[in-house]
Amino acid sequence: MTNTNQKRTLGEFIFDNQSSFPYSTGELSKLINAIRLAAKITNHEVNKAGLVDILGDAGITNVQGEDQQKLDVYANEKFIQTLKQRGIICGIASEEEEDFIAVNSSDGKNNNKYVVLIDPLDGSSNIDVNASVGTIFSIYRRISPLGNPVELKDFLQPGKDQVAAGYVMYGTSTMLVFTTGNGVNGFTLNPALGTFYHSHPNMQFPETGRIYSVNEGNYVHFSKGVKAYIKYCQKEEEDRPYTSRYIGSMVADFHRNLIKGGIYMYPRIGPKQNGKLRLTYECNPIAFLTEQAKGKATTGTKRIMDIEPTELHQREAIFCGSIKMVEKLEEFILNED
Ligand code: AHG
Ligand code: MN
Ligand code: MN
């Protein structure tokens, strides 16, 4: 349990660090505050999932044809509602919505500067089994001129242009982990007080680790290089075999690897497929956190954050985590055949 006497609250952290936030106008702080609030509301609902009739499918599928669960719908609504009300964002895109949503400023002048992209509930197949789920968010400055309605291009910026990104993990404890480009900081919710405390300052990936996280059920579809790397992970050597750990919730798998050292992989599943995870809602924010935590995030051949997105719901392969492990994987990909 967090020692509430010694740790700063998230509110205090934001206040103390405001000047180091990009552009430091106070708007980004308000945005993080809005995410904090939506996270608490969603957390409350996730925690009572086993108690109320909110488990199971909502009977509808999302734009990508996947079953949508009730808590996905709930989290989607709460994050959108909370972010819209603050008068800071000009638009929001969600994994659960086909198109982006334009948000007008209260004076109707379209002068709000930020866009947010969210995966409101990540790992939603874990809800029924009481395992960890999360929320992932990514924040950019708009590139279209102030005064005009937000445009698709505001949401299709490369990950390297993010001004902030992070996730909420609804796990054993609820945590908010984010970066504004000055390292990665983690905050743990004290549920009794409803306050996030600065429990994990300056989070960094160990240079190397002993955990690999991948859905090995897809093994036969992986490229030769990825298969060879997995065999390398399993080989009996000084520090190997590595341990395989896969929750099926990117946030939870990433979070564990960040703390313990490891590599997370969601490769292409066959030559014509582009991986499963969404570039804008999952890969980019996780890549920003990875680099800020001194790790590496790649498609196998290219830095994730350099990709110019062409579609809102684009999918990419991703490998991220401890730098030495990701570099080793890249070696295998480069030298396949
Ligand atoms: P979402 O619940 O937002 O659709 O994301 C699920 C993602 C990611 O969190 C996880 O790592 C991955 O899908 C798991 O996919 P597989 O079940 O194919 O391994
Ligand atoms: Mn997801
Ligand atoms: Mn999701």
Side-chain angles (χ1 to χ4, degrees), residues 135-305:
T135 298
I136 311 176
F137 61 91
S138 166
I139 302 174
Y140 295 84
R141 299 261 296 186
R142 69 186 296 176
I143 47 175
S144 59
L146 285 180
N148 291 5
V150 70
E151 294 178 43
L152 181 59
K153 68 178 182 194
D154 293 313
F155 298 93
L156 297 184
Q157 301 184 56
K160 63 179 181 222
D161 293 341
Q162 289 170 100
V163 291
Y167 58 82
V168 186
M169 183 168 135
Y170 313 100
T172 323
S173 300
T174 295
M175 283 194 70
L176 173 60
V177 175
F178 72 93
T179 180
T180 54
N182 272 306
V184 176
N185 285 282
F187 300 82
T188 304
L189 181 67
N190 179 330
L193 303 178
T195 306
F196 280 101
Y197 287 92
H198 192 197
S199 51
H200 294 64
N202 193 21
M203 298 174 83
Q204 292 187 3
F205 271 101
E207 261 201 328
T208 192
R210 297 196 59 255
I211 295 173
Y212 73 103
S213 311
V214 62
N215 182 346
E216 281 183 77
N218 294 325
Y219 183 85
V220 292
H221 303 293
F222 295 156
S223 68
K224 284 184 186 160
V226 174
K227 281 181 179 162
Y229 178 71
I230 291 174
K231 287 294 160 214
Y232 165 89
C233 294
Q234 296 168 344
K235 198 163 177 219
E236 200 96 31
E237 287 289 340
E238 298 157 36
D239 61 337
R240 284 174 280 144
Y242 294 157
T243 295
S244 166
R245 288 282 181 272
Y246 190 72
I247 295 168
S249 171
M250 188 192 207
V251 165
D253 282 309
F254 176 84
H255 186 77
R256 180 202 51 246
N257 292 354
L258 171 57
I259 289 173
K260 296 201 180 269
I263 181 170
Y264 176 87
M265 308 186 253
Y266 212 109
R268 285 168 189 269
I269 327 160
K272 293 200 180 127
Q273 300 285 339
N274 229 6
K276 174 186 180 189
L277 300 182
R278 296 78 168 174
L279 174 62
T280 52
Y281 312 110
E282 290 164 325
C283 303
N284 271 335
I286 289 293
F288 191 21
L289 288 160
T290 303
E291 290 194 8
Q292 285 294 317
K294 303 219 180 327
K296 188 164 188 181
T298 170
T299 63
T301 52
K302 198 173 176 187
R303 182 186 179 216
I304 293 282
M305 291 206 290

Side-chain angles (χ1 to χ4, degrees), residues 126-132:
N126 278 327
I127 295 162
D128 290 355
V129 296
N130 201 8
S132 297

Side-chain angles (χ1 to χ4, degrees), residues 320-331:
C320 62
S322 292
I323 191 157
K324 292 216 160 125
M325 298 178 87
V326 177
E327 282 172 357
K328 179 56 94 180
L329 172 271
E330 285 176 320
E331 253 175 69

